[in-house]
Amino acid sequence: MVMVQDRVALRSRAKPLAPVQVALPVNRILRGDCIETMRALPTASIDMIFADPPYNLQLGGDLARPDGSAVDAVTQDWDKFASFATYDAFTREWLAEAHRLLKPDGSIWVIGSYHNIFRVGALLQDMGFWILNDIVWRKANPMPNFKGTRFTNAHETLIWAAKSDKARYTFNYRAMKTLNDELQMRSDWVLPICSGPERIRKNGVKAHPTQKPEALLYRVLLATTNPGDVVLDPFFGTGTTGAVAKRLGRNWIGCERDADYIAVAEERIAMALPLDESALKTMMSRKTAPRVAFGQLVEAGWIRPGTELTCRKDRYRATVRADGSIDGGAQAGSIHGIGAALQGAPSCNGWTFWHVRHEGEVKPIDALRQLYLLATED
């Protein structure tokens, strides 16, 4: 017989058990309640979560247009909650799983309307998430207020939050600036609602009442994920997140309990064509881009010796020399040093100060640096 102390000694000499590795079910729809399916996923396994939860619209009855026809509104049971307390308890549960699943440097997006987004925002903060931005999606073609009793609801709000205030979350700043015609991307986005050919219909009826436009998910994924990242959508619906993720070379996981929505999503994602690998390359942020000397652009032929550089307002000019220095007239030196000297300034970022004509447009030389990086990236 082995005494208790002998059992303890035996256990202490035994090798510790290796942690069980659970494979992520990427690029699959997990059928079932979102909270239960999220609980089955391994901790710290997800790079980004996009959540379009029930809005708890609290509709008091059917909506009708002035001509008496019915408005195709959200009347499904999944959007009905007995009370605010019930809704808050539901939100707290799925957010707790979201926080567990995110990697330390992961982030979450939640979209909602005035009916729910303020409650969600408070719970996000209560649970340790760190809010980075609230994005106003201003609808270019909103549904009018048929009763004429309120302002037209022309926007929805997205909250973008990191897992914690210490998280080194992904933000592809340069890609967003490039997408926005070289202007900083603002927190108000004007995009049309899902309509026309993009709106999925079955037998003439909307397949899902709150289908989001692909352009919205395209911007979210391009801004805050990288190719190969895993994106989780706990309220998958008809699969907008999955379709856009597939196009952009991201992995995705969807949670959905409605069989009809799943069937639509699977068909839709199967038809989505991924972009060519070269097309997925985006402008790099200055923090992550390899260092490039101005002389590298000169020796690679992107900017030729003898090219004239100007400042944005065309007040100062300089000529590029063969060794990557520039001649400002009275003196020669680096793009940074000559830019500072001509302005009488203590310093100057020559990449943004100096401009050059390229393909019929005057651009900062930093734009050519970014193109050079894309062309030479492995």
Side-chain angles (χ1 to χ4, degrees):
M1 179 181 293
V2 180
M3 304 299 290
V4 173
Q5 58 265 36
D6 295 328
R7 293 195 187 102
V8 173
L10 287 171
R11 283 200 300 268
S12 66
R13 291 196 299 269
K15 292 183 180 180
L17 293 174
V20 177
Q21 298 295 321
V22 180
L24 269 180
V26 294
N27 306 322
R28 283 178 50 196
I29 304 174
L30 308 180
R31 182 171 181 177
D33 174 79
C34 71
I35 296 168
E36 294 304 318
T37 51
M38 290 169 77
R39 282 177 180 157
L41 298 175
T43 298
S45 59
I46 303 297
D47 294 289
M48 193 271 274
I49 294 173
F50 181 86
D52 183 8
Y55 287 8
N56 191 23
L57 294 178
Q58 309 136 56
L59 295 178
D62 295 334
L63 295 178
R65 297 182 177 86
D67 63 4
S69 60
V71 176
D72 190 6
V74 182
T75 57
Q76 286 78 0
D77 288 340
W78 51 254
D79 193 58
K80 296 175 182 178
F81 294 82
S83 64
F84 286 131
T86 304
Y87 184 80
D88 290 350
F90 163 74
T91 303
R92 196 176 291 108
E93 276 198 87
W94 75 258
L95 280 179
E97 287 305 308
H99 196 274
R100 180 184 67 82
L101 290 176
L102 279 177
K103 295 177 181 178
D105 294 333
S107 67
I108 183 172
W109 288 80
V110 186
I111 185 170
S113 66
Y114 70 88
H115 304 86
N116 72 323
I117 199 64
F118 303 109
R119 309 186 77 85
V120 173
L123 290 170
L124 277 166
Q125 291 180 313
D126 288 346
M127 303 185 73
F129 290 97
W130 187 257
I131 294 180
L132 301 167
N133 275 116
D134 64 323
I135 303 295
V136 174
W137 166 31
R138 189 153 60 88
K139 301 173 182 178
N141 51 342
M143 181 183 294
N145 183 275
F146 293 109
K147 293 183 178 180
T149 56
R150 305 184 189 183
F151 296 108
T152 297
N153 294 323
H155 78 277
E156 292 183 31
T157 300
L158 298 94
I159 296 176
W160 176 40
K163 185 171 182 178
S164 74
D165 61 338
K166 307 298 184 193
R168 301 184 58 163
Y169 54 88
T170 296
F171 179 48
N172 297 317
Y173 169 80
R174 278 295 309 169
M176 288 296 96
K177 191 172 181 182
T178 304
L179 192 68
N180 198 38
D181 201 18
E182 287 303 318
L183 296 173
Q184 281 192 342
M185 184 71 76
R186 292 161 40 124
S187 62
D188 55 334
W189 299 353
V190 181
L191 297 167
I193 62 174
C194 188
S195 60
E198 186 183 350
R199 169 65 76 173
I200 301 173
R201 296 179 183 274
K202 293 295 180 181
N203 301 318
V205 178
K206 292 178 183 177
H208 195 290
T210 63
Q211 181 184 338
K212 295 300 183 289
E214 291 195 4
L216 182 69
L217 270 297
Y218 187 100
R219 188 172 297 185
V220 166
L221 292 177
L222 195 67
T224 58
T225 65
N226 295 309
D229 280 357
V230 179
V231 179
L232 170 69
D233 187 335
F235 308 96
F236 202 59
T238 52
T240 303
T241 300
V244 176
K246 182 179 177 182
R247 283 173 54 202
L248 291 177
R250 277 69 167 165
N251 293 302
W252 56 271
I253 300 172
C255 304
E256 181 54 56
R257 65 186 186 185
D258 187 291
D260 291 336
Y261 294 163
I262 291 173
V264 171
E266 288 177 338
E267 180 181 354
R268 177 185 187 184
I269 295 168
M271 294 175 62
L273 297 176
L275 296 177
D276 182 82
E277 185 178 348
S278 62
L280 287 175
K281 295 179 181 178
T282 60
M283 292 294 196
M284 299 179 186
S285 72
R286 292 181 180 85
K287 292 181 180 178
T288 58
R291 288 187 62 84
V292 175
F294 180 68
Q296 288 179 253
L297 300 187
V298 176
E299 65 185 6
W302 285 78
I303 298 179
R304 296 183 179 279
T307 298
E308 185 176 67
L309 306 180
T310 65
C311 68
R312 185 171 61 86
K313 295 183 179 180
D314 204 21
R315 291 176 58 190
Y316 305 109
R317 295 171 180 268
T319 303
V320 177
R321 305 201 304 187
D323 62 354
S325 63
I326 62 174
D327 184 351
Q331 55 187 311
S334 71
I335 56 173
H336 312 295
I338 297 303
L342 291 175
Q343 297 177 88
S347 63
C348 171
N349 182 348
W351 290 108
T352 55
F353 177 76
W354 293 111
H355 288 59
V356 66
R357 182 167 290 278
H358 177 256
E359 295 181 346
E361 298 181 36
V362 176
K363 304 176 181 177
I365 57 175
D366 184 54
L368 272 69
R369 175 172 62 164
Q370 295 292 333
L371 292 172
Y372 171 78
L373 285 168
L374 289 178
T376 57
E377 184 181 19
D378 292 334

